Amino acid sequence: GEDVEQSLFLSVREGDSSVINCTYTDSSSTYLYWYKQEPGAGLQLLTYIFSNMDMKQDQRLTVLLNKKDKHLSLRIADTQTGDSAIYFCAERDQAGTALIFGKGTTLSVSS
Amino acid sequence: GAGVSQSPSNKVTEKGKDVELRCDPISGHTALYWYRQSLGQGLEFLIYFQGNSAPDKSGLPSDRFSAERTGGSVSTLTIQRTQQEDSAVYLCASSLQGNYNSPLHFGNGTRLTVT
């Protein structure tokens, strides 16, 4: 079945770049997603990428997709303390309906 | 416009009691999803609705769990005879269509504590 793996923790200093990595298993995935969860809140859609793209940039966020290696990354430039949250990578299931999530990467930003 | 709304935001119940969790999706969204988030377990898919029908119930953990959706809008997740292991945050999401290019939009969840 589908599986999504992420490292659990990342700690950076304010102003540095953060890179959060994710691997997935389903090579037929057409869309891959990044969500952010702040304490006590639901998941907020950050960005998504279509599988025929290698890169997508949206302000401070850059998504890189290596389809051959089934590897997805999210780079946050000039990381701020407000970026501290849990970041989830997700792929669509084989039926194309539900999203399969990784366990999330907790990003801690220190000033 | 309004996002996905879930109620209650917090629910404390005694073991063995039944609970109902409610989800109001974004207006016009035909697909609705329930997930469970437990500490250290990530997000576990429970059930998916397209309109009022549930083509995929594969994630419901036991027959104590059921869900319905009426009028293509509001959904209710019911847990009967609650157990302590049911304690978790239950998240609802909706999307414009239940297919590849419709991202999911999440509510803030219901935190369920079974004592």
Side-chain angles (χ1 to χ4, degrees):
Chain A
E2 306 94 345
D3 194 18
V4 178
E5 300 277 345
Q6 301 178 239
S7 54
L8 293 183
F9 297 101
L10 177 64
S11 183
V12 301
R13 298 179 72 92
E14 193 173 23
D16 288 349
S17 290
S18 307
V19 179
I20 302 171
N21 294 301
C22 168
T23 57
Y24 60 96
T25 55
D26 187 358
S27 58
S28 66
S29 288
T30 52
Y31 284 88
L32 294 140
Y33 302 83
W34 284 103
Y35 282 83
K36 175 184 179 183
Q37 186 179 35
E38 296 181 3
L43 275 70
Q44 171 196 355
L45 176 66
L46 279 181
T47 186
Y48 58 95
I49 188 167
F50 186 50
S51 60
N52 70 350
M53 299 169 67
D54 298 325
M55 183 180 85
K56 180 178 180 181
Q57 188 151 1
D58 184 0
Q59 300 183 333
R60 291 190 297 123
L61 304 179
T62 302
V63 178
L64 295 178
L65 175 60
N66 181 329
K67 201 173 177 187
K68 174 176 168 288
D69 293 339
K70 297 179 200 166
H71 182 267
L72 185 71
S73 68
L74 174 70
R75 178 177 180 270
I76 305 172
D78 186 26
T79 313
Q80 302 298 306
T81 54
D83 294 324
S84 294
I86 305 175
Y87 290 80
F88 291 90
C89 167
E91 64 170 347
R92 285 279 182 181
D93 67 5
Q94 289 184 344
T97 53
L99 294 189
I100 308 298
F101 288 85
K103 285 189 162 53
T105 300
T106 298
L107 174 65
S108 174
V109 183
S110 57
S111 56
Chain B
V4 177
S5 176
Q6 292 187 248
S7 60
S9 54
N10 280 284
K11 176 73 177 178
V12 180
T13 191
E14 291 180 353
K15 179 181 169 180
K17 302 274 191 186
D18 297 352
V19 294
E20 281 191 354
L21 312 180
R22 177 187 166 106
C23 173
D24 262 295
I26 293 172
S27 178
H29 280 196
T30 63
L32 185 146
Y33 307 78
W34 284 99
Y35 285 83
R36 178 167 71 175
Q37 186 175 25
S38 306
L39 197 60
Q41 297 298 315
L43 274 87
E44 176 188 7
F45 168 73
L46 299 179
I47 190 169
Y48 152 71
F49 286 91
Q50 180 61 48
N52 290 337
S53 63
D56 188 353
K57 299 181 182 180
S58 61
L60 293 176
S62 76
D63 59 8
R64 296 186 295 105
F65 286 72
S66 63
E68 64 174 14
R69 188 180 185 196
T70 55
S73 180
V74 172
S75 175
T76 303
L77 177 69
T78 302
I79 309 173
Q80 295 179 307
R81 305 181 302 282
T82 51
Q83 305 293 311
Q84 286 185 329
E85 61 262 28
D86 299 334
S87 296
V89 176
Y90 289 82
L91 291 166
C92 176
S94 68
S95 68
L96 191 58
Q97 300 166 334
N99 63 19
Y100 286 103
N101 62 350
S102 292
L104 274 61
H105 299 269
F106 283 83
N108 285 338
T110 293
R111 181 175 296 278
L112 175 66
T113 304
V114 182
T115 61

